[in-house]
């Protein structure tokens, strides 16, 4: 049991090395109608030899080799025994060799990867394959729809360690595949944040989300932007300082007589906590204070009476309900973190085994 964390760290490092060396495929998805044409691009500057391979990967199948070509002149040097090998060709687009399907069929729906050999600088004579990030071909009559992007502060146990969480959600898009990245801004300075060790991605029906862990002090100094890459275009969501800070709601009134009822209507903003102040000069507390349910699940409300230490039962009951909901959200996020960490370790181990074999 003692060597398990070290083994997991080893697998993770191997996976990060492989990912750092991967080729770049700019298109995340390509949506086409039946009988249309499509071309898959690949930036292969890291390749050290002339051979460039193309693979097809369907959701329920393994990788299938299509061909390898000479990337210096875009000539096909060998076609593998692919069931539709004659459907694929190569075109030269601005000195880049692209894989092309002249007439798209439903059976072409898959993800396409470019690959090439690279030599290991630590082991002379040893070459290994590096792959692109993949481009998914979606064959359908549906229109491409850009995602709706929202950024929320998320509750988690990281608060206990001086860190905070930001949740970026992309929804209502088609195709449903997106790529997340984060930036932070202070005045006119914008910095792109590296993903290693900072982000966790979640997938639910109809939406995708990513969680970014940041220092609590940095959350007050910077504005964070979540950028979502999609076939329909790049969409950006931004946090505001008011959206990530919890403010207290003080009840104060200028009337000499205590109010008989104060009702707070539902908030319109999804993640904003506002400061409501009603100042009173009376020593008697309000007879009843009712707060309606907030529109956002992530809001934290702190209602305090500046003239009395005793709160009505309605306030106490609601505070207990909010506290219970917060605990449930924290536990849910902890479960999600655990599942993602386990999946990451399995994925890293798989990559390491592939490199060994």
């Amino acid at each position: 049991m003692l060597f398990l964390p070290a083994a997991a760290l080893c697998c993770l490092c191997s996976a990060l090395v492989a990912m750092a060396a991967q080729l770049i495929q700019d298109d995340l998805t390509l949506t086409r109608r039946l009988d249309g044409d499509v071309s898959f691009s690949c930036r292969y500057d890291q390749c050290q030899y002339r051979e460039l391979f193309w693979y097809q990967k369907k959701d329920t199948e393994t990788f299938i080799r299509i061909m390898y070509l000479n990337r210096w002149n875009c000539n096909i040097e060998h076609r593998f025994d692919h069931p539709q090998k004659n459907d694929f060709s190569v075109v030269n687009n601005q000195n880049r060799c692209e894989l092309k399907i002249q007439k798209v069929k439903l059976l072409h729906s898959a993800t396409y990867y470019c690959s090439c050999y690279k030599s290991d600088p630590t082991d002379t004579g040893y070459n290994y394959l590096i792959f692109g990030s993949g481009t998914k071909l979606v064959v359908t009559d549906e229109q491409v729809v850009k995602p709706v992007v929202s950024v929320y502060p998320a509750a988690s146990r990281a608060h206990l360690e001086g860190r905070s969480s930001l949740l970026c959600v992309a929804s209502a898009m088609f195709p449903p595949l997106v790529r997340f990245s984060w930036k932070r801004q202070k005045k006119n300075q914008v910095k792109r944040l590296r993903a290693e060790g900072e982000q966790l991605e979640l997938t639910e029906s109809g939406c995708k989300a990513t969680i970014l862990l940041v220092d609590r002090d940095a959350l007050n100094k910077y504005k964070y932007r979540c950028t979502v890459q999609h076939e329909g275009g790049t969409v950006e969501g931004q946090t505001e300082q008011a959206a990530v800070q919890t403010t207290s709601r003080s009840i104060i009134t200028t009337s000499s007589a205590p109010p008989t009822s104060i009702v707070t209507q539902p908030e319109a903003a999804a993640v904003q906590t506002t400061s409501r102040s009603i100042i009173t000069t009376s020593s008697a507390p309000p007879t009843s204070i009712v707060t309606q349910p907030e529109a956002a699940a992530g809001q934290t409300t702190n209602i305090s009476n500046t003239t009395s230490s005793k709160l009505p039962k309605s306030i106490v009951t609601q505070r207990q309900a909010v506290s219970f909901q917060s605990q449930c959200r924290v536990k849910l996020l902890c479960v999600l973190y655990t599942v993602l960490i386990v999946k990451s370790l399995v994925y890293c181990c798989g990559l390491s085994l592939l490199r060994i074999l």
Side-chain angles (χ1 to χ4, degrees):
M1 292 297 293
L2 293 176
F3 70 88
L4 184 57
L9 183 60
C10 244
C11 294
L12 181 60
C13 291
S14 300
L16 291 176
V17 169
M19 291 174 65
Q22 75 177 5
L23 305 178
I24 298 175
Q25 293 179 249
D26 294 317
D27 297 314
L28 195 59
T29 59
L30 290 172
T31 303
R32 295 293 185 272
R33 296 176 182 270
L34 285 172
D35 298 330
D37 65 323
V38 64
S39 296
F40 303 93
S41 62
C42 174
R43 286 196 272 165
Y44 41 77
D45 299 328
Q46 297 187 58
C47 299
Q48 295 178 322
Y49 303 96
R50 74 176 191 276
E51 295 90 354
L52 179 68
F53 297 83
W54 278 99
Y55 290 79
Q56 182 191 68
K57 170 72 172 67
K58 295 188 177 182
D59 292 339
T60 57
E61 299 178 9
T62 186
F63 284 82
I64 302 177
R65 295 182 296 181
I66 301 172
M67 66 172 70
Y68 74 83
L69 55 96
N70 186 332
R71 65 183 181 90
W72 295 337
N73 55 23
C74 296
N75 290 333
I76 299 176
E77 296 198 350
H78 182 72
R79 293 180 184 270
F80 294 100
D81 191 20
H82 189 281
Q84 293 87 38
K85 62 181 180 181
N86 294 324
D87 294 345
F88 300 96
S89 60
V90 177
V91 293
N92 190 329
N93 184 8
Q94 298 179 352
N95 296 323
R96 292 282 183 185
C97 303
E98 297 183 354
L99 180 70
K100 183 173 183 177
I101 303 175
Q102 187 64 40
K103 196 172 182 179
V104 172
K105 303 173 184 176
L106 193 58
L107 52 80
H108 292 140
S109 300
T111 304
Y112 293 85
Y113 296 87
C114 58
S115 176
C116 67
Y117 279 104
K118 187 172 183 178
S119 59
D120 188 349
T122 62
D123 186 359
T124 305
Y126 175 72
N127 300 325
Y128 60 93
L129 279 172
I130 56 175
F131 286 81
S133 50
T135 299
K136 186 177 182 67
L137 175 62
V138 181
V139 183
T140 180
D141 290 333
E142 293 189 43
Q143 296 291 329
V144 175
V145 180
K146 293 170 64 173
V148 177
V149 178
S150 305
V151 181
Y152 306 99
S156 71
R157 292 188 183 276
H159 286 279
L160 302 177
E161 303 172 0
R163 308 193 79 188
S164 297
S165 304
L166 290 176
L167 177 67
C168 179
V169 181
S171 59
M173 64 277 187
F174 184 83
L177 199 58
V178 296
R179 183 179 293 148
F180 291 99
S181 61
W182 287 90
K183 298 176 184 177
R184 74 178 185 186
Q185 179 181 3
K186 187 176 183 180
K187 296 182 179 180
N188 295 328
Q189 297 180 349
V190 179
K191 180 181 178 182
R192 187 184 182 96
L193 301 180
R194 295 194 303 174
E196 290 83 357
E198 293 291 337
Q199 300 182 43
L200 293 172
E201 292 192 12
L202 316 172
T203 302
E204 294 293 337
S205 57
C207 69
K208 290 183 180 290
T210 180
I211 297 175
L212 176 71
L213 299 179
V214 296
D215 292 332
R216 192 180 302 172
D217 293 337
L219 196 61
N220 298 327
K221 295 178 182 178
Y222 299 95
K223 290 183 179 180
Y224 286 84
R225 294 180 178 178
C226 173
T227 302
V228 179
Q229 180 188 344
H230 185 262
E231 183 180 350
T234 300
V235 184
E236 194 171 81
Q238 179 174 312
T239 61
E240 298 292 343
Q241 254 62 4
V244 294
Q245 295 176 354
T246 304
T247 58
S248 63
R249 191 174 291 174
S250 301
I251 302 172
I252 309 171
T253 173
T254 56
S255 172
S256 58
T260 56
S261 176
I262 299 174
V263 180
T264 303
Q265 297 298 330
E267 300 294 336
V271 292
Q272 293 180 345
T273 37
T274 57
S275 170
R276 296 171 183 249
S277 298
I278 304 171
I279 304 179
T280 181
T281 56
S282 171
S283 59
T287 46
S288 86
I289 301 173
V290 182
T291 302
Q292 299 295 336
E294 299 295 336
Q299 289 184 326
T300 304
T301 307
N302 181 16
I303 302 178
S304 62
N305 190 347
T306 59
T307 59
S308 176
S309 60
K310 295 183 180 181
L311 294 175
K313 287 186 178 181
S314 59
I315 295 295
V316 175
T317 303
Q318 183 160 1
R319 282 188 174 181
Q320 292 175 348
V322 171
S323 176
F324 177 73
Q325 291 175 1
S326 299
Q327 292 177 7
C328 290
R329 283 195 294 271
V330 169
K331 291 179 180 179
L332 178 60
L333 282 173
C334 289
V335 172
L336 290 174
Y337 283 144
T338 304
V339 171
L340 286 169
I341 290 171
V342 172
K343 285 185 177 180
S344 299
L345 290 176
V346 172
Y347 177 71
C348 294
C349 293
L351 283 178
S352 300
L353 290 175
L354 285 175
R355 292 191 62 190
I356 294 172
L357 297 176

